[in-house]
Amino acid sequence: METVAFFYFAAVIVLTAVLVVAFRNPIYSVIALLVMFFHVAGLFVTLHAEFLAAVQIVVYAGAILVLYLFVVMLLNLKQDDSYQRQVGWGIGLGIVGLAEMIYLVLSAQVGNSPAIGTAALQASASPKVAAIVTRGNTEAIGYMLYTKYLFPFEVASLILLVAMIGAILLAKKGVLGMKEP
Amino acid sequence: MVPLSYYMVLSAIVFLTGFVGVLIRRNIIILLLSIELMLNATNINFVAFSHYLNDVSGQVFVFFTLTVAAAEVAVGLAIIIALYRGKATVNVEDLNLMKW
């Protein structure tokens, strides 16, 4: 059951990821990315990361992609957007990189399978963390976020503040020394 | 139980799709979408390792990745709008000047 779910989600994720790059019309690309985000959220649910699945749908599908659609429609783009001239080089580099990564993953698994085996990994996890996991996904993430990762959490809020100020300033008219049309 | 390496291969495929997209597309909005693909590939890896290691830290890092992605989208789209006002194009081959 879990294997079937994984292969369904993986197939749709790969297909829509390729479609995002392949579509000529930016609106179709954004819709394909929307489908991909929903299936990544499904994959997170099968991995027992329910909080992140919800956040994935709310933040990515609800906020980020709506922003993309808004800008694509605001700019009213023409559809004659073609690929770069070096498209063959790009795809060739991607295939070489993919072969390299698959080779690395397979050789690591064959070489020292006990280190990658899940039993050894779960045994090495600290008992305190395991006790947190049994309490529930959202509680565990909140606990980690406000104890061990408190300072990165504050830095993340600062990043959001800087991004908000930057976006407001950049999107204003007459910024960057440009003349008013 | 799905082996961990399957998740790593899936993540590699999605990441390289985004990489190829950055290389071959000329529309700057699709370039940003390809960066989103790469960030999501790392998220899949983080969550898979978090599940198999039985450690919540990976999911906390996905949370931070999400923050950075949101900030990147806000600033990137603002830059695109500012560029479009100045040059009336989103083709990266036309955006080759430091100043205009």
Side-chain angles (χ1 to χ4, degrees), chain A residues 55-149:
Chain A
V55 166
Q56 174 93 6
I57 290 177
V58 170
V59 173
Y60 264 119
I64 293 182
L65 281 182
V66 168
L67 203 58
Y68 271 114
L69 271 182
F70 180 70
V71 169
V72 168
M73 291 173 179
L74 184 74
L75 295 187
N76 194 16
L77 300 171
K78 297 178 291 294
Q79 298 209 5
D80 56 350
D81 167 56
S82 57
Y83 298 127
Q84 296 262 24
R85 284 186 297 275
Q86 61 270 27
V87 55
W89 280 101
I91 293 176
L93 269 177
I95 290 172
V96 169
L98 182 66
E100 193 174 341
M101 283 202 195
I102 289 177
Y103 172 73
L104 279 177
V105 168
L106 290 182
S107 64
Q109 200 184 27
V110 171
N112 45 0
S113 48
I116 298 289
T118 56
L121 290 183
Q122 280 171 353
S124 69
S126 68
K128 191 184 165 199
V129 172
I132 296 168
V133 169
T134 58
R135 220 157 60 195
N137 182 249
T138 310
E139 287 90 341
I141 290 180
Y143 183 79
M144 289 298 268
L145 206 56
Y146 284 107
T147 54
K148 193 175 174 187
Y149 295 103

Side-chain angles (χ1 to χ4, degrees), chain B residues 31-46:
Chain B
L31 260 58
L32 273 184
L33 288 180
S34 302
I35 293 173
E36 295 292 329
L37 282 183
M38 293 198 257
L39 287 171
N40 255 277
T42 60
N43 284 355
I44 293 171
N45 239 346
F46 268 131

Side-chain angles (χ1 to χ4, degrees), chain A residues 17 21 23 33 36-37 47 55-56 60 68 75 81-84 98 101 118 125 137 141 144 149 171 178, chain B residues 5 7 12 16-17 24-27 32-33 36-37 40 51-53 57 59 66 69 71 82 84-86 93:
Chain A
V21 175
F23 273 135
L33 197 64
M36 188 197 129
F37 282 158
L47 285 169
V55 166
Q56 174 93 6
Y60 264 119
Y68 271 114
L75 295 187
D81 167 56
S82 57
Y83 298 127
Q84 296 262 24
L98 182 66
M101 283 202 195
T118 56
N137 182 249
I141 290 180
M144 289 298 268
Y149 295 103
M178 277 183 289
Chain B
S5 53
Y7 288 98
L16 284 164
T17 309
I24 70 174
R25 291 304 300 257
R26 293 200 287 193
N27 188 333
L32 273 184
L33 288 180
E36 295 292 329
L37 282 183
N40 255 277
H51 181 239
Y52 281 85
L53 286 171
S57 300
Q59 300 184 21
L66 221 69
Y84 191 78
R85 271 203 199 111
E93 290 190 343

